[in-house]
Amino acid sequence: MIYMKYLPYILNCGTRCYVRLDINPKLMNNEMAKIRISVPSLEGLNFADFGCFNVFVPTKEEQKVIVDFLERKISEIDGLIQKIESAIAKLREYRSSLITAAVTGKIDVRGAVKC
């Protein structure tokens, strides 16, 4: 049995992609078409291709542990990305303020050393 949050990780298609295995196979190609549009790594994949996968499937409990670990790490990485983006925005603001101060004469840059 596959834990549905585990499936995107074994298909390597990100955390927001869910494939329902309990739907009618005739409808599966429509579902795959929707996923194919939003997930580039599944481009060209159809229902028949699922029979070609050899996938190690741990127990459902192990899958949940793996998913919890990956989601926790992804959350940590997302937090770091936000901090970096915030630092970049502050540096850009500082740069802009520094340029404005230099242009308006609030600071003297005539003796500044070039790097």
Side-chain angles (χ1 to χ4, degrees):
M1 190 63 144
I2 294 181
Y3 179 52
M4 294 311 294
K5 286 186 174 183
Y6 180 73
L7 187 60
Y9 292 107
I10 63 173
L11 294 176
N12 193 26
C13 67
T15 59
R16 305 291 183 253
C17 169
Y18 295 95
V19 178
R20 291 188 53 195
L21 298 177
D22 61 340
I23 63 174
N24 182 328
K26 290 180 181 177
L27 300 175
M28 187 61 165
N29 281 328
N30 290 337
E31 291 299 311
M32 291 304 295
K34 291 177 192 171
I35 293 169
R36 201 175 323 146
I37 291 168
S38 62
V39 183
S41 64
L42 290 180
E43 190 171 328
L45 188 65
N46 62 42
F47 185 69
D49 292 328
F50 276 97
C52 300
F53 285 115
N54 290 321
V55 179
F56 169 72
V57 180
T59 65
K60 199 165 189 176
E61 292 75 28
E62 289 175 312
Q63 292 175 41
K64 288 179 182 180
V65 170
I66 292 168
V67 168
D68 290 343
F69 172 81
L70 291 173
E71 287 180 349
R72 192 171 52 253
K73 291 300 179 182
I74 288 169
S75 178
E76 289 175 19
I77 292 168
D78 288 344
L80 291 172
I81 289 170
Q82 287 178 334
K83 286 181 181 180
I84 291 168
E85 288 174 345
S86 176
I88 290 170
K90 287 178 184 177
L91 287 170
R92 285 184 175 145
E93 186 177 316
Y94 174 70
R95 176 179 166 239
S96 178
S97 297
L98 191 58
I99 291 170
T100 300
V103 169
T104 59
K106 292 183 180 176
I107 59 172
D108 186 8
V109 292
R110 287 178 287 175
V113 178
K114 292 186 179 183
C115 296

